[in-house]
Amino acid sequence: TDIRSDVPLYRIWKDNELVDEVRCIKELWQDDLVSFLIGCSFSFEEALQDAGIEVRNVTMGCNVSMYNTSIKCKSVGKFHGPLVVSMRPIPKDKVDLAIKITAQFKDTHGAPVHVGDPSKIGISDISKPDFGDPVTINEGEVPVFWACGVTSSMAVKNAKPPLCITHAPGYMFVTNMNNPTIKLS
């Protein structure tokens, strides 16, 4: 694989400003750049569906809703920022099952970090995600929140390097590992 071309959409940050979104970064690559990959909650969506739990962003054909929270991550040097979460509405009677299923995907965000009232984690308007698309929350459903890989992008943004390249929210690197392979990895 080639990390310079195998992410569907990259964000280019210069001096802490988003300057472009591109499909290939070969022309920007420098020998001193470092790359890292973080698991994604999209990996457990198939398992939720297999258990009869609707994944609303999939049903609606849109990106998952993602929010900045009031939960601060542990700082490392100049890297700091809030935890970003993805949200999926889950029927109240299936929340425990969703937790059990997703907890098995510990390397791709695992169990939820919060269930219920979004204001408890600093989200003031659930209908207006910071990233991704809004989804419908039906009567009898509870918003369930998982840690999100966009958290790392926020930490890098706050560190203010002269050049940073991230994935665009919802446009992750895709491997040849099947979702069942990732489970309990």
Side-chain angles (χ1 to χ4, degrees):
T1 192
D2 188 339
I3 197 65
R4 304 170 304 163
S5 59
D6 290 346
V7 171
L9 189 64
Y10 301 87
R11 284 187 158 184
I12 311 304
W13 302 84
K14 291 187 178 177
D15 297 318
N16 207 37
E17 295 293 324
L18 177 63
V19 296
D20 205 359
E21 287 188 342
V22 299
R23 300 212 178 271
C24 181
I25 58 167
K26 287 183 179 181
E27 297 80 32
L28 293 168
W29 193 258
Q30 302 169 11
D31 289 339
D32 63 345
L33 291 179
V34 175
S35 62
F36 56 93
L37 302 171
I38 298 174
C40 177
S41 62
F42 286 179
S43 299
F44 60 60
E45 290 182 336
E46 181 181 16
L48 291 174
Q49 291 172 310
D50 288 348
I53 299 173
E54 178 189 6
V55 178
R56 186 67 37 78
N57 54 292
V58 174
T59 302
M60 290 178 63
C62 63
N63 201 351
V64 70
S65 303
M66 295 166 272
Y67 305 86
N68 287 313
T69 70
S70 57
I71 302 168
K72 298 296 178 199
C73 293
K74 182 178 178 181
S75 296
V76 177
K78 61 183 180 176
F79 295 90
H80 62 92
L83 176 66
V84 178
V85 293
S86 62
M87 185 280 298
R88 291 160 185 86
I90 306 289
K92 288 178 188 174
D93 65 339
K94 294 186 177 181
V95 169
D96 288 342
L97 178 59
I99 292 169
K100 180 180 176 185
I101 290 167
T102 60
Q104 297 176 69
F105 290 81
K106 64 181 174 136
D107 289 339
T108 56
H109 302 307
V113 296
H114 181 71
V115 175
D117 184 356
S119 69
K120 300 281 186 195
I121 57 172
I123 300 169
S124 59
D125 189 347
I126 194 81
S127 70
K128 295 180 180 171
D130 296 300
F131 311 98
D133 300 307
V135 296
T136 305
I137 302 175
N138 297 323
E139 186 71 31
E141 293 180 331
V142 178
V144 180
F145 302 90
W146 284 267
C148 178
V150 177
T151 300
S152 61
S153 295
M154 297 305 295
V156 169
K157 182 177 185 265
N158 289 333
K160 302 178 183 177
L163 172 67
C164 180
I165 304 167
T166 65
H167 75 285
Y171 293 86
M172 286 71 58
F173 175 79
V174 177
T175 73
N176 62 353
M177 294 174 64
N178 294 325
N179 289 335
T181 304
I182 298 168
K183 186 175 162 183
L184 295 175
S185 58

